[in-house]
Amino acid sequence: MPAQVTTHSTDVLVVGGGIGGLAAAIRARENGAAVTVLEKANTERSGLAGSGIDHIQSYIPEVHEKIGYTEADLANDQFEFGGNLGGFRRRDLTDYYAYHSAKDVIELEKYGLRFRFEDSDLPGGFRVVPQFHNVPTSYHFEGRDVKRKLTEQALARGAVILNRQHVRTLLKDGGAVTGAVAVGTRDERITVVNAKTTILATSGVGSRLSSSATGSDTFENFGAPTASIGSGKILAAKAGAEVVNLEFTNLGEFAYSFLNYSFTVGLPSGSWWPAGRIVDEEGNVVVDRNRSLPWTEADYKKKYRALVDHYHEQRSRIAPLLIQGKALYFDLHEATDAELAYIWWSLGHEGKTGVMKRHLEKNGVNLRTARFPLRVAGRGTPVLAGIWVKDTTTETNVRNLYASGNEPAGTGMPLPVAGGALVYGYRSGEQAALRAKTLAPPADVSAPYVEALAGQAQEIRSRKEGDPWRLAERGLQVLIDNALGKAYTDKSVALTQQQLRRQRESLRFSAGNPHELSRVFEVLDLYDLAELVLASIRERKSSLAPFVRLDGADSPSEKYGDSVGVYWEGEALKAKRLSNLT
C-alpha cells in the first residue's frame, strides 16, 4: 500500500514546539512570514517546560539597577559560575542573552502569565529567587501553563501547528536546507513541508542516551521528560551542520532525588529557598538554610556573594558523603509558616514538582517535620553540547538552517534555560523571517526522502516478530553507561564504536502500531546520537577539565575552548575544529 503523503509550503518551518520553537514562530509571524511548526507531541504540554516552570533567568532592571547590577555582570556571572568547562561558552551568544533578556522574558507577562504579586516588597512587585549568579536573577512566577499560553499566542498570530509529527530528515537542495519530512506518531501519514528557511528548536538535552544521567529508561522518573533524544543535533549533523562538545556527555555533576522525584530546582535552593537545608542522620547540618537579604541592604552584592560562596562550598560536600554511604536528608525544620506557604505555591508551578506536590498532599506530609532522604540519581548531562551557529543571527554553516531555543552551542553553563530559549527563539524567528523574504519558494525535492522513509516504515511494520524498541534502547543505554564518563584511550573508543555498530546491525525492529513505530524511530535517533558522541570523543585529543585521555601526549594544537564539531557528509562522519568566540 503506498504511503499517504501530505505536502505543505511555508516561509519558515520550525522543528520543535517548546518554548524556543514557539517563540520563534511568534516572532517570525510578527515579521510577516508564513510559519509552520512540526511538533512530535503536542505544543500545549511538550518539551522540557511542558509541565510548567516557576522560575526563569533574566536581567530585571527594576530590581537589579537598584543595587548596581548590570547586564554585563549577568553575562560575566554566566562564565564565572560555569564550572571548569567555562572556556567552551560563546561570549557573543552569552552577551546577546544578557542584554536582551530584560525585554524578551517579560513578554510572557503580556501572554497572561502572572509575574507580579501584592505581597512582594520588591520594585515592580516581582518575586525573585537565586540561581547560579552573584545576585538573584530569576523571576519566580506562575508558569505552570507557559506552553499553553505560547501555543495560544502562536495560533492567534496565524502560525500553523502540526502536532504528533516526528521529523525524520531535513530536505536539502543545492547546499541549502529547504524543509523537512515527518511521520505521524498516531497515523503513520508522511508530512512534507517545503520551506524557505528552517529553524531547529527541539530539546537540547538527549538524556535518553544514558540511563545513568536521568533514570529515563524507566519512563517514570519525574525529574526530566523522557522524550529528550537530541533529535535537533542529529538532524543538523545529517544536513552537514556541526554539532559540538558532545565529548563532554556524562561528565556532569551528580543529581539527587527523593524517591523517584528528582530535585530539579537546585536543592536546597530554587523553589526551596531560603528555608531548605541538608542534614545527616544525627541532625548535623551539612548545608545551612539560607537567608534573604533585603534589597535595600548596604553593599548588597558583596554580602550576597559571601552567602553564595558559603552555600556552594557546603553543597559540594553532598555527593562525596552520599557516595561514602552517609545518610543525608532534605529538611525544612526551620521554615516559617510564610516560607512553607511560599514553597507550596512554587511546587504548583515548577514542572514535575507539581506531581510531587499532589503526592505529598495526598499522603498528608508535613513539610516542616518530614525529612526527605536523598539518593544519588546519576550524573547530570552537561548543557554545553549543541549546534554550532555562525553568530547571533543563529544561522548554522548550512544555508537557511537556524538553531533556536537551547540548541545553539556555547550559550552558557549554567544555561539560561527557559530565558535563553525565549531570547534565542525570538532572535531566530526574526532572522529566519527576514531571510525568507529574500528567497523564492524552494523546489520540492522530497520524493527520494519520502520513498526511503516509507520503505523503512513498511519494513518495520510488516515484520511479525522482531526486536522491541524498549529492549533495544536499554541495550544501547547499558553500552553507553559502561563507556562514557571515564578516562578514554583511542583503543577503548574504537572498541565501543565497534560494539555500537554490531549492536545496531543486529537489530530487526518490529512495531505493532504507529506509536511503537515512532518509538523505534526514536531509538534509531539515539543510535545516531551515540555515533556522534563517540566521534567527538575520538577527535578530542587532550585532557580538558573533566575529560581525561590516558594515551599519548596532549595535542599541542588543541587549545582550551576550541570546540570539536562533528557532522555527516553523505555516509561519512566528519570532524572540524571550531575556535570559540570568547
Side-chain angles (χ1 to χ4, degrees):
M1 180 177 178
Q4 293 180 300
V5 182
T6 302
T7 301
H8 301 261
S9 295
T10 191
D11 294 328
V12 177
L13 168 63
V14 181
V15 179
I19 287 180
L22 291 173
I26 289 169
R27 191 54 47 85
R29 284 295 300 141
E30 291 174 345
N31 279 270
V35 176
T36 298
V37 179
L38 292 175
E39 162 59 40
K40 187 171 65 174
N42 185 305
T43 61
E44 290 195 355
R45 287 295 178 194
S46 63
L48 295 176
S51 51
I53 50 174
D54 78 329
H55 56 273
I56 185 168
Q57 292 180 31
S58 178
Y59 185 74
I60 308 170
E62 296 92 332
V63 176
H64 292 147
E65 288 176 358
K66 299 291 185 182
I67 58 172
Y69 188 75
T70 67
E71 291 99 330
D73 292 331
L74 175 60
N76 290 334
D77 281 354
Q78 285 291 113
F79 281 79
E80 181 175 352
F81 285 86
N84 51 13
L85 290 175
F88 292 91
R89 287 186 300 277
R90 288 273 296 268
R91 186 81 220 195
D92 57 340
L93 298 178
T94 302
D95 285 350
Y96 186 88
Y97 154 73
Y99 283 90
H100 289 79
S101 62
K103 177 180 178 296
D104 288 346
V105 171
I106 201 63
E107 284 284 305
L108 292 176
E109 186 177 40
K110 299 178 183 178
Y111 303 161
L113 296 167
R114 188 183 182 199
F115 276 73
R116 302 173 198 268
F117 303 88
E118 295 77 11
D119 61 355
S120 171
D121 59 0
L122 295 180
F126 300 118
R127 292 175 177 174
V128 181
V129 290
Q131 275 199 298
F132 311 112
H133 304 99
N134 280 321
V135 302
T137 53
S138 292
Y139 287 110
H140 224 185
F141 75 115
E142 294 187 347
R144 182 177 67 90
D145 292 327
V146 61
K147 290 296 306 303
R148 283 184 173 175
K149 296 297 184 182
L150 285 166
T151 298
E152 290 173 4
Q153 293 297 316
L155 291 172
R157 287 164 173 77
V160 175
I161 297 177
L162 303 177
N163 287 314
R164 308 295 180 188
Q165 299 295 320
H166 185 177
V167 175
R168 299 300 301 137
T169 187
L170 297 179
L171 299 173
K172 199 171 179 184
D173 185 24
V177 167
T178 60
V181 179
V183 63
T185 63
R186 297 287 176 86
D187 58 12
E188 298 181 64
R189 179 184 293 275
I190 292 176
T191 296
V192 173
V193 180
N194 294 305
K196 297 177 182 179
T197 57
T198 299
I199 300 172
L200 294 175
T202 64
S203 168
V205 181
S207 56
R208 269 174 61 186
L209 183 62
S210 168
S211 62
S212 66
T214 62
S216 60
D217 63 303
T218 66
F219 279 75
E220 297 170 352
N221 184 285
F222 296 112
T226 58
S228 179
I229 56 177
S231 59
K233 297 175 181 62
I234 300 159
L235 291 168
K238 287 186 173 180
E242 302 100 342
V243 177
V244 302
N245 300 330
L246 287 170
E247 66 270 27
F248 300 115
T249 297
N250 248 28
L251 291 178
E253 294 182 353
F254 279 91
Y256 319 104
S257 68
F258 156 62
L259 298 179
N260 210 22
Y261 299 91
S262 173
F263 288 99
T264 59
V265 289
L267 180 74
S269 64
S271 297
W272 314 96
W273 181 85
R277 63 179 190 169
I278 305 294
V279 299
D280 64 15
E281 185 71 38
E282 292 76 35
N284 300 310
V285 176
V286 177
V287 180
D288 294 316
R289 69 158 288 155
N290 219 313
R291 66 188 183 93
S292 180
L293 290 175
W295 286 84
T296 55
E297 183 99 5
D299 296 325
Y300 180 96
K301 288 199 297 181
K302 180 179 179 181
K303 293 177 181 178
Y304 183 80
R305 176 58 186 267
L307 290 176
V308 169
D309 289 345
H310 175 68
Y311 169 72
H312 283 288
E313 187 279 324
Q314 287 191 319
R315 195 164 180 233
S316 67
R317 307 171 189 171
I318 299 176
L321 289 173
L322 288 175
I323 294 170
Q324 294 167 21
K326 190 79 171 178
L328 298 181
Y329 301 87
F330 174 63
D331 177 273
L332 288 165
H333 178 76
E334 296 182 349
T336 66
D337 289 344
E339 287 171 334
L340 291 178
Y342 190 92
I343 289 170
W344 281 116
W345 163 81
S346 177
L347 293 180
H349 295 279
E350 169 51 46
K352 290 189 176 180
T353 57
V355 179
M356 179 164 64
K357 178 186 177 184
R358 291 193 292 273
H359 170 82
L360 297 174
E361 290 174 329
K362 180 179 179 180
N363 290 279
V365 175
N366 185 323
L367 289 181
R368 181 181 286 118
T369 58
R371 292 203 306 176
F372 301 95
L374 301 183
R375 65 179 177 86
V376 176
R379 292 184 180 270
T381 303
V383 295
L384 288 170
I387 302 167
W388 188 264
V389 295
K390 295 187 293 186
D391 50 36
T392 59
T393 65
T394 74
E395 188 177 17
T396 71
N397 68 300
V398 177
R399 279 190 291 126
N400 304 334
L401 178 64
Y402 296 78
S404 183
N406 293 327
E407 285 290 19
T411 51
M413 190 175 182
L415 189 70
V417 197
L422 273 175
V423 170
Y424 302 125
Y426 286 140
R427 179 62 167 171
S428 63
E430 170 196 79
Q431 292 297 302
L434 293 174
R435 172 68 60 78
K437 290 180 181 180
T438 70
L439 301 174
D444 187 348
V445 297
S446 63
Y449 297 89
V450 169
E451 183 181 359
L453 177 58
Q456 185 182 32
Q458 184 179 19
E459 179 184 356
I460 294 169
R461 289 282 278 119
S462 63
R463 188 174 287 125
K464 299 300 182 183
E465 294 183 359
D467 298 306
W469 65 270
R470 279 183 180 270
L471 289 181
E473 179 171 329
R474 183 57 182 152
L476 173 62
Q477 289 174 335
V478 168
L479 175 64
I480 294 302
D481 289 346
N482 288 334
L484 301 189
K486 303 176 174 63
Y488 300 110
T489 65
D490 284 339
K491 184 176 181 180
S492 68
V493 175
L495 179 60
T496 303
Q497 288 177 312
Q498 185 181 57
Q499 291 172 324
L500 177 69
R501 288 166 189 150
R502 286 178 178 173
Q503 187 169 304
R504 182 171 190 165
E505 290 169 0
S506 70
L507 291 172
R508 296 294 182 271
F509 285 110
S510 63
N513 55 55
H515 172 74
E516 289 186 0
L517 178 64
S518 71
R519 292 300 194 185
V520 168
F521 283 142
E522 287 182 333
V523 174
L524 291 173
D525 282 344
L526 289 172
Y527 273 91
D528 286 332
L529 181 61
E531 289 276 9
L532 290 171
V533 169
L534 292 171
S536 298
I537 292 171
R538 180 192 64 213
E539 293 298 325
R540 176 65 69 187
K541 301 301 182 184
S542 299
S543 296
L544 296 172
F547 182 89
V548 179
R549 290 197 69 96
L550 293 181
D551 54 347
D554 287 349
S555 171
S557 63
E558 191 164 82
K559 298 178 181 178
Y560 180 75
D562 282 357
S563 292
V564 173
V566 290
Y567 58 97
W568 273 283
E569 191 174 278
E571 297 296 320
L573 262 173
K574 300 284 187 177
K576 183 185 296 184
R577 299 282 163 169
L578 297 160
S579 179
N580 211 8
L581 305 180
T582 56

